[in-house]
Amino acid sequence: MIDIDIALVVLNWNGKNLLEQFLPTLIEYSPEASIYLVDNFSTDSSVSFVKKKFPEISIIQHNQNFGFAEGYNKALSLIDADVYGLINSDVEVTPFWLQPIFKFYNNNQNASILQPKILDFNHKSYFEYAGAAGGFIDKYGYAYCRGRIFKHIEEDKDQYGSSSIFWASGACLFIKSKDYKNLGGLDSDFFAHYEEIDLCWRAKNNNLSVDYISTSQVYHLGGGTLDTQNPFKTYLNFRNSLFTLIKNLPEKKIFPVIFSRMLFDGIAALFFLAKGKPLHTWSVLKAHLQFYIYATRMYNKRGEHQHLNYYQTRSMVWNAFIKKQNRFKP
């Protein structure tokens, strides 16, 4: 029996083509939920297109581009629902995909954050980079997933069942509205990228659950708004991962972990330079500069509690590049 109210919320910026491609299946396969489009001040015809083609969708229009984090924060404050479903505009859902989500919330009173199985839209038997079968981090804050270690992507053979995870992908993430509000939502200083890992880490520090639901399945195109080769994306990822560390690490771990992480980042910057990608090298350096500027601000956002057992693997860099371990091992 469905006794919770889920609002599916799609954030859009100049994504008319994506909306045209992916909204029909979202509407067709999500009859149990209400659907909202949040427009981040698009300059294309996204809004008029949706109004005309999909009048059943509620639209929230921002007066400027607030980015992923604040774009959602402002919109969700206007939406009344038990559970928010944050879903990218380049995600294709599947028949009955919401039923396992409803079932899990109904059967688990303390459930908070959920993620479905995320597969690659272009290679549908493989996991997709942004989330796969649920996320984890190593001691130094490097994010990886069951089904995806750095750029190595596994084929989905149902090898990863439903289980507790450390972080859920912002490409398709469900969270109880009361928990979203109590946690303060996504951190608007992040603008985009890593904000869902920060949210989930804060949830973990507050003893909230994060779970992967293998029986719910979606396909993610990826790079629909910001291509993976974009130096701005590199900048956001490096900067925001450092923000996440200083906000959520146990107090005694802050200096040694961040110091080590910045050394690793320096090696990555040299690697980009050797690969003929000077703009990406500059992105890493700029990310570190911004971290120094914002470090105090981020530190002051720390919650009252931080857990020591935030990671399962000491160094995923060592495991992947030295030990050649490209598959998830708990």
Side-chain angles (χ1 to χ4, degrees):
M1 179 179 178
I2 298 172
D3 56 9
I4 59 172
D5 178 24
I6 292 182
L8 300 176
V9 188
V10 179
L11 189 69
N12 172 70
W13 180 71
N14 289 342
K16 177 181 176 292
N17 292 339
L18 295 175
L19 298 175
E20 188 173 13
Q21 182 176 2
F22 294 107
L23 279 183
T25 51
L26 182 64
I27 294 170
E28 180 180 1
Y29 298 142
S30 311
E32 314 95 326
S34 54
I35 301 176
Y36 293 80
L37 177 75
V38 178
D39 188 74
N40 247 341
F41 201 57
S42 293
T43 55
D44 67 359
S45 58
S46 294
V47 173
S48 59
F49 166 75
V50 173
K51 285 181 178 179
K52 181 178 180 179
K53 189 73 174 179
F54 307 108
E56 64 268 46
I57 293 180
S58 301
I59 299 176
I60 297 173
Q61 290 181 260
H62 292 323
N63 59 4
Q64 66 183 79
N65 183 359
F66 289 104
F68 186 92
E70 189 65 4
Y72 265 122
N73 287 344
K74 288 184 175 296
L76 296 183
S77 69
L78 304 174
I79 297 174
D80 183 22
D82 299 317
V83 173
Y84 300 138
L86 283 60
I87 180 167
N88 279 12
S89 59
D90 59 349
V91 167
E92 179 184 77
V93 302
T94 59
F96 313 111
W97 76 292
L98 281 179
Q99 291 187 7
I101 303 298
F102 278 107
K103 182 178 179 180
F104 194 88
Y105 276 122
N106 284 327
N107 293 341
N108 299 272
Q109 184 178 1
N110 295 322
S112 179
I113 300 174
L114 305 183
Q115 180 203 299
K117 178 187 292 186
I118 302 179
L119 299 175
D120 190 329
F121 178 78
N122 290 316
H123 306 280
K124 294 192 173 182
S125 64
Y126 283 81
F127 288 107
E128 205 275 326
Y129 184 92
F136 295 86
I137 59 171
D138 71 2
K139 177 180 178 179
Y140 303 102
Y142 284 105
Y144 62 97
C145 304
R146 299 192 307 172
R148 188 271 293 175
I149 306 296
F150 291 108
K151 292 187 177 182
H152 179 81
I153 310 293
E154 292 181 40
E155 186 174 5
D156 173 33
K157 299 180 179 180
D158 292 324
Q159 64 268 47
Y160 300 116
S162 299
S163 70
S164 174
I165 55 177
F166 188 79
W167 59 269
S169 172
C172 190
L173 178 154
F174 294 86
I175 181 171
K176 282 184 175 174
S177 58
K178 65 180 181 64
D179 294 334
Y180 190 90
K181 293 170 184 175
N182 289 338
L183 290 168
L186 297 166
D187 190 331
S188 60
D189 283 330
F190 282 51
F191 187 77
H193 297 293
Y194 249 85
E195 67 289 300
E196 78 269 50
I197 298 177
D198 170 65
L199 177 69
C200 291
W201 199 340
R202 285 186 279 126
K204 288 283 190 176
N205 280 337
N206 282 275
N207 298 315
L208 296 174
S209 65
V210 185
D211 290 278
Y212 165 73
I213 310 301
S214 64
T215 50
S216 176
Q217 182 171 298
V218 302
Y219 298 101
H220 184 214
L221 177 63
T225 301
L226 194 58
D227 186 80
T228 55
Q229 299 302 313
N230 192 313
F232 184 54
K233 187 167 188 173
T234 299
Y235 160 73
L236 289 173
N237 279 330
F238 277 83
R239 186 198 67 168
N240 292 350
S241 62
L242 292 172
F243 284 176
T244 301
L245 289 172
I246 199 170
K247 287 181 62 180
N248 296 291
L249 280 169
E251 185 75 35
K252 293 182 180 180
K253 299 284 188 179
I254 294 176
F255 178 78
V257 169
I258 291 181
F259 179 77
S260 299
R261 176 59 187 267
M262 295 182 85
L263 290 178
F264 291 143
D265 286 358
I267 295 172
L270 292 175
F271 177 80
F272 283 133
L273 192 61
K275 287 286 188 178
K277 298 181 177 180
L279 292 180
H280 290 269
T281 300
W282 170 240
S283 292
V284 177
L285 298 177
K286 185 169 66 170
H288 282 201
L289 176 61
Q290 285 292 301
F291 172 72
Y292 289 132
I293 293 173
Y294 280 87
T296 300
R297 178 185 177 96
M298 292 297 132
Y299 181 85
N300 289 336
K301 293 185 180 185
R302 291 171 59 81
E304 294 183 6
H305 306 287
Q306 290 79 34
H307 295 307
L308 289 170
N309 58 339
Y310 64 91
Y311 65 93
Q312 295 184 357
T313 300
R314 181 178 177 85
S315 175
M316 191 49 68
V317 173
W318 178 268
N319 288 352
F321 296 103
I322 304 301
K323 297 175 65 177
K324 304 300 181 181
Q325 175 186 316
N326 290 319
R327 292 182 180 271
F328 176 85
K329 292 184 180 180

